[in-house]
Amino acid sequence: MQRFILPLLSLIVFLACNPKTNEQTGQEQLPNIIHIFADDLGYGDLSCFGATDIATPNIDRLATNGIKFTGFYSASSVCSPSRAGLLTGRMPQRMGINQVFFPGSFTGMPPSEITLAELLKEKNYATGIVGKWHLGHHHQYLPLQQGFDTYFGIPYSNDMENVVYMRGNDVEEFNVDQRYITRTYTEEALRYIESHQNEPFFLYVAHNMPHVPIYASEDFLGTSQRGLYGDVIQELDWSVGEIVKKLDELGLLENTLVIFSSDNGPWLVMEDHGGSAGPLREGKMFTFEGGMRVPTVAMWKGKIAAGRVYNDLASQMDWFPTVAALTGIALPTDRDVDGKDLSAVLLENGKREGDSYLYFDGSDLQCYRKGNWKIKKPYPGFAGASWKQAVAPHDTLLINLKKDVGERTNLFETNKKLTRELFDEMWEKYDALGELPPTLTVNTPADNSHYEYLSNKHAK
Ligand code: MG
């Protein structure tokens, strides 16, 4: 009898620990997660968000076969803090990430932060990132030290000096031909999906496009009605289509949550090389809606009802607790997670918990949204620079976002009591965050020489 018990016990342990076997027995099916992140893509740059001069049929299909979020906020209006928020579910201010990192930065997202990749390691997910990291490029800050098994991509923005491809912790290529970044990332992503098709995986595809300087491969030049910028978006759309096609071929669509979003609003000072915020006011680097609200869609065949549109607010930080809920992984208890679980929104036609949002510009809390109301502190205006467009000063703003998504009509004068109540609430929420760490030093070169693209532009 005893000689049967040991093998039987081993079999039970094997069944309990092997997700694939669990899938076959129907006990637990861990979904694959693919998060596709565009860089500086505006709210008005996808046809499913109203663009008429750019065609994005593949991204549109994620929306028509899944869910479209019209009130989806980034954790920040610039790259690094936005990415920190996405990957940890926490406000970047909690990590002191209030600016973007530069090639001269010695800092990065603290290794003590728990990323989506580390979270998913609790259920033995394969974890890969293809693309832009921008959370510190020194060894201890790179993806492999933050829960990812594999990394291929450019470690910061593509307008910064020394645009290199890294693989793992090492530089693989020094002379990146930017015309092929999107194509190269797509090929890497497809290879990743193929090689991990038999195990649960998390793939983070963080495109460098359409951040300036923008490039499309020759196959896409002249294909859109919005010049090179539109061509770049149409190549990104092709990339999304290739990923979905691969999932379909491998029979993985019903077990994969595919998300597409952007890290922040369009870089409007770049004019026709920057995107469009559509009906929203301003873009990247501002806490107006155009800087913070990002076009977001998600598809999970058979799980998310097709054609759902969610108009209430949600945030990039929500993916962390959402993924935890979808995979049955407990959230860390030793820290605050600011995002809210969206699984009821995705799977049950339900609502997200909470209807308020704090909008920061770096460490400066500037706006607060509660339901459809948004307040914004007075702003001294900005004179304009090569990297940020001029904006007129304004008084305290009270906006009804439901009626006025473009933030044109200030209702402050006639609703001072409501405005005051909202400000009180905003500062209460701020106080509840507790003590925030000092801003990490990023060593911004004073002469902007770190921006290859801007320097070239100035030289002309
Ligand atoms: Mg960006």
Side-chain angles (χ1 to χ4, degrees):
M1 183 65 195
Q2 209 167 0
R3 67 198 169 105
F4 293 110
I5 291 177
L6 256 182
L8 190 64
L9 271 177
S10 319
L11 181 67
I12 290 168
V13 169
F14 176 78
L15 286 173
C17 298
N18 188 314
K20 191 156 192 284
T21 309
N22 282 344
E23 281 171 29
Q24 286 161 359
T25 58
Q27 285 175 10
E28 182 180 39
Q29 192 172 33
L30 292 169
N32 306 309
I33 316 283
I34 301 182
H35 194 293
I36 307 170
F37 216 28
D39 194 355
D40 294 3
L41 177 81
Y43 196 81
D45 291 333
L46 301 176
S47 33
C48 55
F49 279 80
T52 53
D53 47 4
I54 303 178
T56 53
N58 293 299
I59 299 168
D60 299 353
R61 218 166 285 135
L62 297 183
T64 49
N65 293 330
I67 185 167
K68 171 172 134 173
F69 291 91
T70 63
F72 202 90
Y73 291 90
S74 170
S76 166
S77 71
V78 293
C79 300
S80 301
S82 163
R83 284 150 209 273
L86 163 68
L87 288 176
T88 64
R90 282 154 56 75
M91 290 172 35
Q93 289 75 21
R94 294 192 189 274
M95 311 161 215
I97 303 179
N98 298 321
Q99 305 169 51
V100 300
F101 297 108
F102 292 98
S105 301
F106 292 100
T107 49
M109 184 164 74
S112 57
E113 290 296 331
I114 298 171
T115 65
L116 269 170
E118 286 168 308
L119 181 85
L120 288 166
K121 277 292 167 199
E122 293 202 20
K123 292 240 167 148
N124 295 319
Y125 269 69
T127 53
I129 159 171
V130 173
K132 172 172 169 173
W133 175 242
H134 213 184
L135 289 169
H137 52 278
H138 287 272
H139 184 93
Q140 67 269 36
Y141 303 117
L142 285 168
L144 265 51
Q145 285 65 252
Q146 284 284 20
F148 288 94
D149 303 325
T150 58
Y151 175 45
F152 175 83
I154 297 167
Y156 31 70
S157 296
N158 62 318
D159 62 339
M160 294 175 175
E161 61 198 6
N162 306 322
V163 178
V164 297
Y165 280 142
M166 297 194 74
R167 192 174 295 277
N169 289 317
D170 302 307
V171 173
E172 182 175 273
E173 194 180 326
F174 283 93
N175 298 307
V176 170
D177 185 340
Q178 295 214 29
R179 289 174 298 171
Y180 303 113
I181 294 177
T182 300
R183 184 194 290 178
T184 305
Y185 285 173
T186 306
E187 288 163 357
E188 288 283 336
L190 297 180
R191 260 198 299 278
Y192 187 89
I193 294 167
E194 194 134 326
S195 56
H196 295 281
Q197 58 180 294
N198 292 321
E199 59 185 328
F201 66 82
F202 167 49
L203 175 61
Y204 174 36
V205 185
H207 286 286
N208 278 88
M209 292 295 130
H211 190 295
V212 295
I214 51 171
Y215 288 94
S217 69
E218 56 271 23
D219 293 350
F220 291 87
L221 293 178
T223 58
S224 81
Q225 304 300 307
R226 208 203 287 172
L228 178 60
Y229 185 88
D231 301 344
V232 169
I233 306 308
Q234 294 194 175
E235 186 159 20
L236 288 176
D237 180 72
W238 162 82
S239 175
V240 171
E242 291 299 293
I243 287 173
V244 171
K245 199 159 75 185
K246 177 62 71 184
L247 293 170
D248 197 13
E249 274 167 25
L250 299 175
L252 295 177
L253 271 182
E254 288 175 354
N255 194 34
T256 306
L257 170 62
V258 184
I259 302 157
F260 180 89
S261 189
S262 175
D263 68 334
N264 48 252
W267 205 352
L268 297 178
V269 76
M270 298 300 159
E271 298 173 345
D272 61 342
H273 281 200
S276 160
L280 308 181
R281 184 166 171 180
E282 302 303 338
K284 176 174 177 170
M285 299 183 190
F286 290 95
T287 50
F288 287 107
E289 295 294 294
M292 302 285 295
R293 210 186 267 224
V294 284
T296 302
V297 295
M299 179 179 85
W300 185 357
K301 193 178 175 187
K303 289 284 194 329
I304 299 175
R308 179 145 157 69
V309 178
Y310 192 72
N311 295 317
D312 291 338
L313 84 79
S315 127
Q316 213 73 262
M317 292 178 281
D318 295 344
W319 293 120
F320 189 92
T322 303
V323 165
L326 294 175
T327 54
I329 299 173
L331 284 175
T333 52
D334 63 343
R335 62 197 68 207
D336 293 296
V337 172
D338 299 295
K340 306 285 185 201
D341 175 11
L342 295 176
S343 55
V345 174
L346 300 178
L347 308 178
E348 297 158 22
N349 214 20
K351 297 275 274 183
R352 173 191 185 269
E353 179 201 325
D355 65 346
S356 65
Y357 202 70
L358 298 169
Y359 306 54
F360 283 84
D361 179 11
S363 59
D364 180 24
L365 176 57
Q366 293 190 339
C367 317
Y368 174 61
R369 177 174 169 177
K370 170 79 173 178
N372 290 317
W373 292 110
K374 178 178 179 181
I375 47 165
K376 191 171 189 301
K377 290 196 305 194
Y379 183 69
F382 186 74
S386 61
W387 46 273
K388 187 174 178 178
Q389 74 268 27
V391 165
H394 64 72
D395 195 357
T396 298
L397 298 182
L398 174 70
I399 304 291
N400 182 336
L401 288 173
K402 188 161 194 179
K403 293 183 182 157
D404 178 24
V405 78
E407 300 174 273
R408 302 289 162 202
T409 309
N410 188 4
L411 303 170
F412 167 57
E413 284 299 333
T414 46
N415 296 276
K416 287 191 173 162
K417 185 167 174 283
L418 171 64
T419 309
R420 195 169 305 123
E421 284 166 7
L422 289 167
F423 270 107
D424 286 347
E425 215 174 283
M426 175 174 100
W427 291 118
E428 262 168 42
K429 301 242 179 213
Y430 181 79
D431 289 343
L433 298 177
E435 199 179 336
L436 297 171
T439 295
L440 288 175
T441 305
V442 297
N443 300 321
T444 314
D447 62 356
N448 277 340
S449 61
H450 51 291
Y451 286 125
E452 237 178 32
Y453 176 79
L454 295 177
S455 309
N456 291 342
K457 210 177 165 199
H458 290 160
K460 279 173 196 161

